[in-house]
Amino acid sequence: MSTRTVFTNDLRELLNEVMILGSMVERAIDEAIVALRDQDVDRARAVISGDDEINRRRWQLEEESLRLMALQAPMAGDLRRIAAVMHVATDLERMADHAEGISHLVIRTADEPLLKPLLDIPRMATIARKMLLDAVEAFAEDDAVAARAIAERDDEVDLLYDQIYHELLTYMLADPTTISRATHLLWAAHNIERVGDRVTNICERVVFVVTGSIEELNRN
């Protein structure tokens, strides 16, 4: 088997691991939001516990990327791809941290009734989760066109966040006793908003791999 074939196989395995990690993170976000909606402490604790495996896989991806750089001396295009794997793995791990943050909120507020039925926060999460899966697929397929379109969808997440912010602010101004519960929901929404931002980072890496240019996407 030629050196190039070995390298190509190793690189494909890296991309497969990125997709697995992306699926794990998407699942963690979904579970955290369900735990928030249902005030399910056991589910929240499972998300927190599962973060260790996500962290382990992130570091494993980084180590394997560095190994490929050291042993294979990749040329420009392949070097960009390997460097991008490390950046994408970092963004995915940080998204899992946002899911973990929501889960800690669930545990902290388990004895309080929800301020209101949750509609917009789960809607935000649904959009962000789909963006995440699509961005990881675009990364694996070198699809810069799809990456640019995915980044544009972050506007939907931001608009919902603004809507949630103003609604919760209205609750707090009308009744100061709601401040604590409203603030916790606002923190949860902010975590999802940050997921959308990190998906945009991944989309920028896709464009970088394909074009060799660093381009900021959807930074209005």
Side-chain angles (χ1 to χ4, degrees):
M1 187 179 295
S2 69
T3 301
R4 181 64 192 178
T5 299
V6 171
F7 175 78
T8 300
N9 290 341
D10 286 346
L11 187 55
R12 174 49 59 181
E13 183 60 28
L14 267 186
L15 295 176
N16 287 340
E17 287 297 319
V18 169
M19 295 190 74
I20 291 170
L21 183 58
S23 295
M24 292 175 67
V25 173
E26 184 271 339
R27 177 67 175 169
I29 295 167
D30 185 34
E31 287 291 290
I33 293 299
V34 172
L36 179 67
R37 185 196 66 200
D38 297 344
Q39 296 181 287
D40 187 336
V41 171
D42 289 339
R43 193 184 295 264
R45 287 187 175 131
V47 172
I48 294 167
S49 176
D51 193 60
D52 287 343
E53 176 63 13
I54 289 172
N55 291 342
R56 187 191 68 79
R57 284 178 175 269
R58 174 263 172 112
W59 288 115
Q60 188 175 39
L61 270 168
E62 186 163 318
E63 289 174 1
E64 183 61 21
S65 297
L66 291 171
R67 185 189 71 81
L68 278 182
M69 286 183 182
L71 297 181
Q72 300 290 350
M75 301 302 288
D78 291 330
L79 186 60
R80 288 200 304 270
R81 189 184 312 277
I82 296 170
V85 165
M86 292 192 288
H87 284 284
V88 169
T90 298
D91 275 315
L92 289 172
E93 188 265 332
R94 297 285 168 77
M95 290 184 222
D97 288 343
H98 295 312
E100 185 182 16
I102 292 170
S103 299
H104 281 294
L105 285 172
V106 173
I107 295 170
R108 185 184 305 174
T109 62
D111 294 332
E112 303 175 353
L114 283 173
L115 180 62
K116 59 185 291 294
L118 296 188
L119 298 175
D120 290 332
I121 291 178
R123 191 173 297 130
M124 277 182 73
T126 296
I127 297 168
R129 286 167 41 225
K130 183 65 166 61
M131 287 173 62
L132 165 56
L133 293 177
D134 289 348
V136 170
E137 183 176 354
F139 181 64
E141 300 297 330
D142 290 343
D143 193 340
V145 173
R148 288 191 173 93
I150 294 161
E152 291 298 319
R153 281 152 51 192
D154 189 42
D155 286 344
E156 299 175 55
V157 176
D158 290 341
L159 284 171
L160 279 169
Y161 177 71
D162 289 343
Q163 181 176 317
I164 291 165
Y165 175 85
H166 290 295
E167 181 183 18
L168 293 175
L169 185 62
T170 299
Y171 273 96
M172 288 188 276
L173 291 174
D175 182 358
T177 66
T178 66
I179 288 176
S180 176
R181 287 181 292 161
T183 300
H184 288 137
L185 289 179
L186 188 58
W187 287 347
H190 180 66
N191 274 289
I192 298 301
E193 189 269 338
R194 292 296 293 140
V195 168
D197 291 342
R198 293 192 183 280
V199 172
T200 300
N201 290 346
I202 293 177
C203 293
E204 290 173 353
R205 289 293 163 184
V206 177
V207 173
F208 172 67
V209 169
V210 174
T211 69
S213 299
I214 297 174
E215 179 181 338
E216 287 197 346
L217 301 179
N218 195 24
R219 299 294 185 179
N220 294 330

